């Protein structure tokens, strides 16, 4: 679309599909370079509530002209032309967004042209760089564009060392210390969140490892594995000749169980770190186990009975939190495994059906 002045002080409005000669213009837009852009009050009022309020005020002539005059200054003349053209037909080229995106964002905010503001916010956000990010952030705050503010803040956080060297940052330090403080606070909060996420991932990984260890203990004491047999000799027929799926965890627990069975330090009361670790795992299993009467894991029933008598064990907050989270991790692991098994079964059934259909067709 293009807007051009005509000889009779009208305007020619050209879009991609239709061309109109709009002769009876009743408004003139005056830009910083004294350029006059003829326009129509009805079009401007329909596109912008701010311009509608200006148009409703008593008419003032300018330079002997009977037309109403509206001044739009402070931005390049071409940016005003693009802005007025957008009010007639909402379209922008990539070149115009590249050249006047920041100016159009300011104009769209001042004159409350919502759809233009949304496009400019997105366009300016896609073109923000380390060099202009501070300037764009200041404009985004003035224009109430929270999405653009957040994007600028994240860019400053990720490239802070480089942003510190720019002229925009130096100007900000000298003239807007409150914004500088907000940026530094955002960076500090972002780093704190990153540390919390890392700690949370480490904790979740630990709970998953403990959950896997609980499953391996039950597996070793019930079915047996490579090095350690089941607790009941009646189940010797169930011994597995090879390692289980969680071999690394299972193998480490088997070595720990064998050490626990023959350790002399534990017997004479001198204390053994590996034995203490094994006792903690057995106690954790007992806290999670809901079948203590039939459970074959050593000391499971004893720890249950001891926990019911010992109030300190019951009131140990940290231990209770650990038990709940490991139990939750175990439940999630069991759920994911069951879903995986179901999907494997479905895939197997689909493959068998496909083979059956092909055999039916060819034979």
């Amino acid at each position: 679309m293009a807007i051009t002045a005509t000889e009779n002080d009208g305007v020619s409005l050209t879009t991609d599909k239709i061309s109109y000669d709009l002769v009876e213009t009743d408004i003139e837009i005056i830009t910083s370079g004294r350029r006059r852009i003829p326009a129509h009050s009805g079009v401007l009022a329909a596109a912008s509530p701010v311009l509608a309020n200006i148009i409703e005020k008593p008419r003032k002539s300018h330079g002997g002209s009977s037309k109403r005059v509206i001044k739009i200054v402070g931005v390049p003349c071409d940016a005003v032309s693009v802005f007025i053209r957008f009010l007639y037909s909402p379209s922008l080229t990539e070149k115009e967004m590249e050249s006047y995106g920041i100016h159009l964002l300011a104009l769209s905010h001042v004159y409350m042209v919502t759809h233009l503001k949304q496009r400019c916010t997105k366009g300016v956000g896609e073109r923000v760089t380390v060099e202009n990010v501070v300037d764009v952030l200041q404009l985004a705050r003035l224009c109430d564009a929270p999405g653009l503010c957040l994007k600028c803040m994240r860019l400053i956080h990720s490239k802070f060392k480089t942003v510190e060297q720019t002229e925009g940052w130096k100007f900000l330090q000298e003239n807007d210390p409150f914004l500088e403080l907000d940026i530094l606070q955002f960076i500090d909060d972002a780093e704190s969140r990153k540390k919390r996420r890392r700690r949370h991932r480490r904790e979740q990984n630990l709970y998953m490892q403990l959950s896997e260890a609980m499953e391996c203990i039950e597996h070793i004491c019930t079915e047996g594995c490579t090095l350690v047999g089941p607790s009941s000799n009646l189940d010797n027929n169930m011994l597995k000749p090879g390692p289980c799926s969680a071999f690394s965890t299972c193998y480490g627990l088997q070595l720990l169980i064998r050490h626990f069975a023959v350790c002399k330090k534990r017997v004479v009361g001198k204390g053994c770190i590996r034995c203490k670790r094994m006792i903690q795992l057995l106690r954790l299993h007992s806290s999670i186990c809901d079948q203590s009467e039939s459970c074959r894991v050593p000391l499971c029933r004893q720890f249950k009975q001891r926990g019911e008598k010992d109030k300190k064990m019951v009131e140990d907050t940290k231990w209770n939190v650990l038990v709940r989270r490991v139990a939750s991790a175990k439940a999630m692991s069991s759920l994911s495994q069951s879903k995986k098994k179901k999907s494997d079964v479905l895939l197997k059934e689909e493959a068998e059906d496909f083979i059956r259909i092909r055999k039916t067709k060819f034979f």
Side-chain angles (χ1 to χ4, degrees):
M1 172 186 171
I3 296 179
T4 56
T6 60
E7 293 180 357
N8 55 358
D9 291 334
V11 63
S12 175
L13 172 61
T14 306
T15 63
D16 295 337
K17 296 182 179 179
I18 305 174
S19 178
Y20 301 93
D21 286 329
L22 304 176
V23 179
E24 297 179 0
T25 59
D26 54 353
I27 285 182
E28 283 188 345
I29 307 297
I30 299 180
T31 67
S32 299
R34 309 302 297 174
R35 181 187 299 179
R36 291 172 177 267
I37 303 175
H40 299 79
S41 59
V43 176
L44 302 188
S48 166
V50 176
L51 290 174
N53 291 333
I54 295 174
I55 292 169
E56 289 175 359
K57 292 181 180 180
R59 177 175 298 186
K60 292 182 181 180
S61 60
H62 183 79
S65 173
S66 61
K67 294 182 179 180
R68 193 188 308 273
V69 172
I70 299 177
K71 291 185 178 181
I72 300 181
V73 296
V75 295
C77 302
D78 291 337
V80 178
S81 298
V82 174
F83 174 69
I84 298 300
R85 192 198 67 194
F86 187 89
L87 300 183
Y88 278 84
S89 178
S91 61
L92 282 176
T93 65
E94 291 295 322
K95 185 177 180 181
E96 290 168 345
M97 182 62 72
E98 183 75 31
S99 303
Y100 309 116
I102 291 177
H103 308 295
L104 292 173
L105 175 60
L107 290 171
S108 64
H109 174 71
V110 171
Y111 293 101
M112 298 178 65
V113 185
T114 306
H115 49 299
L116 176 58
K117 184 176 179 180
Q118 291 173 348
R119 292 186 62 175
C120 290
T121 300
K122 182 180 178 181
V124 173
E126 291 172 351
R127 292 166 176 80
V128 66
T129 63
V130 173
E131 294 298 326
N132 67 359
V133 63
V134 175
D135 298 329
V136 173
L137 174 61
Q138 291 175 310
L139 177 63
R141 286 164 64 94
L142 292 173
C143 294
D144 190 23
L148 185 57
C149 283
L150 181 60
K151 190 164 189 174
C152 292
M153 284 287 200
R154 287 174 174 171
L155 180 58
I156 292 174
H157 174 219
S158 62
K159 305 287 185 181
F160 186 66
K161 294 295 183 182
T162 308
V163 173
E164 275 187 312
Q165 308 301 321
T166 61
E167 293 296 327
W169 180 260
K170 295 175 183 177
F171 180 84
L172 177 70
Q173 287 181 308
E174 296 176 359
N175 297 278
D176 197 347
F178 293 104
L179 179 55
E180 179 190 7
L181 183 62
D182 288 343
I183 293 172
L184 296 177
Q185 183 65 45
F186 177 87
I187 294 174
D188 184 65
D189 292 343
E191 290 296 327
S192 299
R193 288 193 299 271
K194 188 183 293 185
K195 290 179 181 178
R196 287 196 298 271
R197 286 195 296 268
R198 288 175 181 171
R199 184 171 64 250
H200 179 71
R201 284 196 295 267
R202 288 196 299 268
E203 290 175 353
Q204 291 301 314
N205 187 39
L206 174 62
Y207 298 144
M208 291 301 296
Q209 290 177 357
L210 288 173
S211 169
E212 189 177 69
M214 297 300 100
E215 293 177 357
C216 287
I217 286 177
E218 295 176 9
H219 154 70
I220 291 170
C221 297
T222 304
E223 301 174 358
C225 204
T226 4
L227 299 177
V228 179
S231 58
S232 174
N233 291 328
L234 297 175
D235 292 336
N236 281 335
N237 294 329
M238 298 175 59
L239 281 173
K240 290 189 175 182
C244 64
S245 57
F247 176 72
S248 58
T249 303
C250 196
Y251 183 73
L253 281 172
Q254 292 177 62
L255 296 179
L256 198 60
I257 291 172
R258 295 183 71 183
H259 168 83
F260 184 75
V262 298
C263 181
K264 296 181 179 180
K265 290 184 179 180
R266 177 179 61 84
V267 175
V268 298
K270 293 182 179 180
C272 173
I273 296 176
R274 297 179 68 185
C275 291
K276 288 180 180 179
R277 191 177 303 163
M278 189 66 219
I279 291 174
Q280 288 176 341
L281 290 174
L282 294 173
R283 180 190 168 192
L284 180 60
H285 162 80
S286 176
S287 300
I288 296 174
C289 182
D290 55 356
Q291 298 178 350
S292 56
E293 295 298 326
S294 59
C295 182
R296 295 178 180 176
V297 176
L299 305 179
C300 180
R301 190 180 307 174
Q302 289 84 338
F303 275 120
K304 284 279 188 185
Q305 295 173 352
R306 180 183 172 188
E308 293 173 358
K309 296 178 182 179
D310 194 343
K311 292 183 178 180
K312 290 184 178 180
M313 289 182 64
V314 176
E315 296 174 358
D316 191 346
T317 306
K318 291 183 178 180
W319 180 260
N320 292 333
V321 170
L322 176 65
V323 170
R324 286 198 303 269
R325 293 185 176 177
V326 172
S328 176
K330 185 178 180 181
M332 293 298 294
S333 176
S334 300
L335 182 62
S336 63
Q337 288 178 2
S338 63
K339 287 183 177 179
K340 185 178 180 181
K341 288 180 180 178
K342 288 181 180 179
S343 63
D344 291 342
V345 170
L346 289 174
L347 288 173
K348 185 177 179 181
E349 290 177 354
E350 289 178 359
E352 291 175 352
D353 292 339
F354 179 73
I355 293 171
R356 192 180 304 112
I357 292 170
R358 290 193 65 183
K359 286 182 178 180
T360 305
K361 286 184 177 180
F362 290 102
F363 298 99

